[in-house]
Amino acid sequence: MKEEEYERLYGVEDSHWWYLGHRALYARLLDARCPEAAQRRVLDAGCGTGGLTAWLRDRYHPRRLVALDACEAALRRCGQRGLEELLCCSVEYLPFPDASFDLVVSFNVLYHRSVSDDLAALREMARVLAPGGYLLLNLPALPMLRGSHDLAVGGVRRYRRSQIMEMLDAAGLRPVKTTYFMFTLLPLLAARRLLTRGTPEEEAVSDLRLPPLPINRALTRLLELEARVASGPGLPLGSSLTALARKP
């Protein structure tokens, strides 16, 4: 990710509707399926600037919380949030013994160009999970949605639900819940991404902009309502793909 994108992410991820809406979905999944795991040993594999890591800390108060990222600039911003156990390393080679964590979270990481083998990284996350532990995974969905945002943030992959199911199985994990998310806004997002397709990488910019406050509140509320459906029966399509899986 470009340095300026880390700075932009740090500035908006605690207030932007996209992040708040996804946190509403994660909270519903964790609270309903594995609240105890979120209070024990937790690893954020690919923490970025630490907004979601800090949210996990403040909401669940885990006994141990480790955040890692391959970018030192991102980790410096994690330190500004008061996060303590920080590591600079790749998600493809996790420096922990087997069964070190009860919950591993990874939000929009496997799709990144810095991850050369996404399945190897997923297997590493499964390896460091204790038996009965959980993985909460979020990824960009639907290859047709590639656009300038993906270029700006270093995204080289987008996934389909069937693909994630196969990858979880190959990593030895059992799906508990998989769903698309951002269904209601999909037509607008698809139109925007199609319009920006073909943008040169050096000119690409991300979608990390805060809209006016009333719009931001309305979109947050929309995704909070959508999270109720996604965490229950699930959604058939969306620009995000969320999976909660368990290690046997």
Side-chain angles (χ1 to χ4, degrees):
M1 188 185 293
K2 301 174 182 177
E3 177 70 21
E4 60 267 26
E5 293 297 339
Y6 279 116
E7 191 63 37
R8 190 173 291 121
L9 172 61
Y10 181 74
V12 305
E13 64 178 325
D14 289 329
S15 54
H16 193 284
W17 58 270
W18 190 96
Y19 294 97
L20 297 181
H22 280 74
R23 290 179 195 183
L25 174 58
Y26 306 151
R28 285 184 171 274
L29 291 173
L30 292 173
D31 291 354
R33 310 279 184 162
C34 54
E36 298 87 359
Q39 297 168 359
R40 294 174 183 166
R41 300 169 297 169
V42 178
L43 170 67
D44 188 346
C47 60
T49 59
L52 279 164
T53 321
W55 174 78
L56 287 165
R57 175 196 63 193
D58 297 341
R59 183 178 179 89
Y60 296 103
H61 308 288
R63 187 169 75 241
R64 183 188 184 193
L65 178 61
V66 181
L68 63 85
D69 201 275
C71 177
E72 292 185 357
L75 291 173
R76 285 196 296 271
R77 290 164 177 82
C78 291
Q80 293 170 14
R81 297 181 185 276
L83 297 170
E84 297 177 352
E85 196 167 350
L86 306 173
L87 291 173
C88 187
C89 66
S90 168
V91 293
E92 295 174 79
Y93 306 98
L94 299 178
F96 307 105
D98 296 358
S100 292
F101 297 96
D102 303 290
L103 173 66
V104 174
V105 299
S106 184
F107 303 126
N108 287 16
V109 176
L110 297 183
Y111 81 118
H112 199 269
R113 67 170 53 140
S114 65
V115 180
S116 60
D117 189 334
D118 53 353
L119 180 56
L122 192 62
R123 283 174 168 151
E124 271 291 271
M125 295 176 196
R127 179 186 65 79
V128 301
L129 272 177
Y134 289 85
L135 169 70
L136 180 59
L137 185 69
N138 195 83
L139 292 165
L142 305 180
M144 64 167 285
L145 295 180
R146 280 189 55 79
S148 67
H149 174 83
D150 299 77
L151 290 175
V153 300
V156 295
R157 307 175 187 92
R158 282 182 169 268
Y159 297 84
R160 297 182 179 87
R161 182 176 179 272
S162 59
Q163 182 181 3
I164 292 303
M165 297 288 281
E166 291 174 359
M167 291 176 65
L168 291 172
D169 183 67
L173 298 171
R174 301 293 175 261
V176 175
K177 179 68 183 180
T178 59
T179 181
Y180 287 100
F181 192 52
M182 294 269 293
F183 172 75
T184 49
L185 297 172
L186 185 57
L188 291 175
L189 181 59
R192 174 173 172 76
R193 294 295 169 83
L194 288 172
L195 287 172
T196 63
R197 189 171 294 169
T199 302
E201 183 170 358
E202 62 273 12
E203 300 176 12
V205 294
S206 74
D207 296 337
L208 297 176
R209 303 289 192 283
L210 267 178
L213 184 58
I215 296 175
N216 195 64
R217 285 175 175 169
L219 292 174
T220 300
R221 180 57 178 160
L222 177 64
L223 289 191
E224 287 172 347
L225 294 172
E226 188 175 300
R228 296 184 182 184
V229 181
S231 61
L235 293 165
L237 283 175
S239 63
S240 286
L241 184 58
T242 302
L244 180 67
R246 192 176 192 188
K247 184 173 182 178

